[in-house]
Amino acid sequence: MTVKEPPVILQIKNLTKRFAAEDGRQLTACDDITVNAYAGQTLGIIGESGCGKSTLVRTVLQITPATSGEVIFEGQDILKLRGEAARQNRRKIQMVFQDPLAAFNPKMKVKEIVTEPLLNFGLIKKSEVNAKAAELLEMVELPPEFMERYPHSLSGGQRQRLGIARALALEPKIVVCDEATSALDVSVQEKICELLVRLQKEKGITYLFICHDIGLVDLMCHQIAVMYLGSIVEYIGGGRRISTDGMHPYTKALMKSVFKVDFKPGERIEPLESEVPSPLDLPPGCPFAGRCEYCTDICRSEKPQLKEVVPGHLVACHLIK
Ligand code: SF4
């Protein structure tokens, strides 16, 4: 049964990001990406290192300028916003980083870190810092006395809770989680994911969840975009799941290369043998052709386009009709 998606909150349209290499060639990090995020849901973006998933969200957040394309949010292309309009827009789209310690000023106390965005936007007075810090810490299940501590005295999980509290301080509509749980132990990761899910239900936040852990993405996300060499090769929505419904040969190879706790006797982990090719030398046809066991002549000459094969499920592969 196809699940009806809620309203679209963010439209990424034909977004391309190229970097100039030193030898004059172009490195294509994101190639004509089109994908939607839905209100109050989680869009997972998955792929190996170097597939372009982090560049995609950095371009959406205007940390790096796009080469071409649009990002439509609240009826306008936010890539065109400049100055105060861009600053105000940043209130609504926040980010949780993989390594919060690197993102925090080590000389600032927890209460200063968590309330700094509110002070910067003039939303609270200095006299309100302690009360607001206690409220934000409670939201992420940290005790209020932590507000007088420094970030280096917190555990990895506590620091990530602090990162989430800071990201949510401005009550954003969209939160980008860039490998936000990847550096944590599995048990801590589970708790942080539970926290993210609870906060989404309470506040209706939309997450862009960037991750290389396909099992975690399968659990956390309502829609999943699988990226390979700067392109989306599969998009799974409509209530379908990557673990049971993934079709693209790359998605299947990713699934087979993952360790699962419920392995059946005789089942094998099959590592993806070769490295992702350089985005400087993109092959003319299917980006996965060099690693695909089903590759035929057309795959080497013609790039397959994403097409809907089941309602809400798009695949870019000549093999799948
Ligand atoms: Fe493999 Fe060809 Fe499909 Fe690419 S288009 S994934 S090379 S079968």
Side-chain angles (χ1 to χ4, degrees), residues 233 247-251 285-300 302-305 315-320:
V233 296
M247 292 185 198
H248 194 280
Y250 175 60
T251 309
C286 172
F288 192 53
R291 301 167 88 189
C292 180
E293 60 182 301
Y294 309 106
C295 181
T296 59
D297 286 348
I298 189 174
C299 304
R300 292 188 198 91
E302 201 175 297
K303 184 174 178 181
Q305 301 301 310
V315 186
C317 175
H318 292 303
L319 197 70
I320 300 163

Side-chain angles (χ1 to χ4, degrees), residues 51-65:
C51 71
K53 56 190 189 300
S54 288
T55 303
L56 175 64
V57 292
R58 290 172 71 83
T59 311
V60 169
L61 289 163
Q62 292 178 280
I63 296 169
T64 182

Side-chain angles (χ1 to χ4, degrees), residues 95-101 160 177-184 212:
M95 188 157 180
V96 178
F97 298 90
Q98 178 177 4
D99 180 6
L101 201 53
Q160 200 50 287
C177 302
D178 189 4
E179 301 281 5
T181 60
S182 301
L184 303 171
H212 64 270

